[in-house]
Amino acid sequence: MTNCLVTGGAGFIGCAISSALAQQFDKVIALDNLHPQVHKTSERPSALDDNVELVVGDITDQALWGSLLARFQPDVVIHLAAETGTGQSLTEATRHAHVNVTGTTRMLDALAARGIVPTRFVLSSSRAVYGEGAWCDSNGNVSYPGQRSDSMLESQTWDFPGLQALPFCADTTQTKPTSIYGATKLAQEHILKAWALSFGSSANIVRLQNVYGPGQSLSNPYTGIVSLFARLAKEGRSIPVYEDGKMLRDFVFIEDVARAILAAATTVRTDVLADIGTGVSTNIWSIARIAAQIYGAPDPHVTSQYRNGDVRHAACKVDLAAEQLNWKPETSAEDGIRLLCHWIDNGNKRADA
Ligand SMILES: NC(=O)c1ccc[n+]([C@@H]2O[C@H](COP(=O)([O-])OP(=O)(O)OC[C@H]3O[C@@H](n4cnc5c(N)ncnc54)[C@H](O)[C@@H]3O)[C@@H](O)[C@H]2O)c1
């Protein structure tokens, strides 16, 4: 009998892995509080596989953990539940820390109190743990210029002068989060690793780039920029793009992410720490343009607006994921955005309703 617990299992990524998990494990429970910012209604999401039991509750609730673990001992825990608004986390730091950090420790305390040691944890960490990451000058010297200051952004100095951003790589890029959200995701990594090492379990960590695709919440204004672009383009509007539109991102398709998480959940490896992206960076304006072209909307326009805490560039290498998880991304941005638009147009299964 193998049991899998997925915290945040009714969300975008949780629903996308639910069918495969239901086939792989004897019993799967999704623990999710159906957060109103993510879920339009408190109904069970239609995209959650029928064979997954949904337990509605909050990961910070000690009593809930007690009753759940009394009847269900997970062999594998996939820890997805989180407050995920990067910009929001600057003004709602306590809420982010409470769910992401205390929620994680509550789960671990509840497991320890009952002597339950899952074989494996999988953590969906984030590119946000790197902050601005490493940059390189023309002589090849690598530095960590840190966070862009408000005065830099106000004067529209978007890049660090004379430097070029390097792609993130989990075994070489230092972690220097520039958002509260990123700091809490890094804390989750350290907490899970420390617990797993102490109790003879393992913590496989995947650091996700920007995930998008069918099933994403269309009602959450704090996440999912590609779905926002697609909705604006569908309305025939010119998409407004921040800064100078040249921020680089690595948009990775939900099905590729689902395969990576499943691989991390079922591998015999105990030391996975890998970046999950496409390995290809694209500027935000070009992403907006793909959506505009699909719907025949006018070209996107640059607004020079900015958000504190947004990093300038974020992309990753996928070599570690290939080596550790035998995983490769399969969907290009063009194909993925087309699939997302098709899903938006046809109103298929959703995680947010
Ligand atoms: N989607 C991305 O681009 C992305 C990128 C990097 C990392 N991640 C990480 O992946 C994980 C899942 O992301 P997602 O895109 O599926 O997000 P999502 O918001 O769709 O799903 C998160 C789920 O967690 C639930 N949840 C939130 N707070 C909870 C709480 N206190 N108790 C119980 N459940 C709670 C929500 O109801 C939601 O169903 C998160 O940990 C996030 O940090 C996502």
Side-chain angles (χ1 to χ4, degrees), residues 14-336:
C15 285
I17 58 176
S18 63
S19 297
L21 289 178
Q23 283 170 25
Q24 195 93 33
F25 290 89
D26 295 318
K27 176 144 184 80
V28 181
I29 288 187
L31 169 59
D32 199 300
N33 69 350
L34 301 179
H35 194 310
Q37 187 168 298
V38 183
H39 300 270
K40 270 202 304 203
T41 71
S42 54
E43 301 292 307
R44 180 189 171 101
S46 54
L48 184 63
D49 189 278
D50 290 342
N51 295 309
V52 171
E53 179 185 335
L54 173 63
V55 172
V56 178
D58 198 302
I59 57 162
T60 62
D61 181 345
Q62 198 172 347
L64 172 95
W65 279 114
S67 58
L68 176 61
L69 295 179
R71 69 174 176 93
F72 183 74
Q73 290 81 49
D75 301 291
V76 172
V77 175
I78 302 179
H79 189 35
L80 305 177
E83 289 284 352
T84 60
T86 307
Q88 234 184 344
S89 71
L90 281 174
T91 50
E92 295 175 57
T94 306
R95 184 154 69 89
H96 281 72
H98 185 58
V99 172
N100 299 0
V101 181
T102 308
T104 303
T105 54
R106 279 269 152 78
M107 168 177 74
L108 297 176
D109 285 349
L111 289 165
R114 280 152 201 84
I116 302 170
V117 179
T119 311
R120 186 172 307 119
F121 291 87
V122 176
L123 174 67
S124 56
S125 187
S126 168
R127 65 160 174 90
V129 301
Y130 296 115
E132 291 284 0
W135 292 58
C136 182
D137 69 15
S138 53
N139 297 319
N141 299 313
V142 174
S143 63
Y144 287 80
Q147 195 160 355
R148 294 181 297 170
S149 64
D150 199 43
S151 60
M152 252 177 103
L153 295 171
E154 215 171 88
S155 63
Q156 301 190 6
T157 309
W158 307 122
D159 282 295
F160 295 104
L163 300 178
Q164 242 194 333
L166 297 173
F168 306 142
C169 183
D171 65 354
T172 52
T173 310
Q174 295 173 19
T175 48
K176 293 177 183 284
T178 55
S179 67
I180 307 290
Y181 167 69
T184 64
K185 294 305 287 184
L186 187 57
Q188 287 185 327
E189 290 190 8
H190 289 300
I191 290 165
L192 278 175
K193 263 197 281 188
W195 196 93
L197 275 175
S198 306
F199 285 90
S201 175
S202 68
N204 284 342
I205 295 164
V206 285
R207 292 179 176 161
L208 311 179
Q209 295 285 316
N210 288 55
V211 188
Y212 72 98
Q216 190 153 29
S217 172
L218 298 178
S219 53
N220 184 352
Y222 299 99
T223 55
I225 194 169
V226 184
S227 63
L228 171 71
F229 286 175
R231 276 187 296 137
L232 291 171
K234 187 175 160 74
E235 289 165 14
R237 291 158 63 180
S238 163
I239 301 165
V241 177
Y242 281 6
E243 301 188 12
D244 57 356
K246 294 182 182 158
M247 302 93 86
L248 296 176
R249 291 292 182 271
D250 183 341
F251 289 99
V252 57
F253 193 61
I254 182 65
E255 283 175 18
D256 286 332
V257 171
R259 279 191 301 106
I261 291 182
L262 290 164
T266 50
T267 178
V268 290
R269 283 190 75 128
T270 58
D271 57 350
V272 172
L273 178 62
D275 301 288
I276 303 298
T278 60
V280 178
S281 53
T282 314
N283 75 46
I284 293 280
W285 189 87
S286 306
I287 291 291
R289 186 143 187 267
I290 295 172
Q293 287 183 332
I294 289 171
Y295 287 112
D299 270 356
H301 64 280
V302 167
T303 66
S304 303
Q305 279 173 286
Y306 60 89
R307 285 191 320 182
N308 278 313
D310 266 357
V311 297
R312 176 65 175 163
H313 300 308
C316 73
K317 291 188 176 176
V318 290
D319 314 34
L320 286 175
E323 179 196 315
Q324 297 176 9
L325 296 172
N326 194 22
W327 172 92
K328 273 197 182 125
E330 287 174 358
T331 312
S332 69
E334 285 80 3
D335 289 348

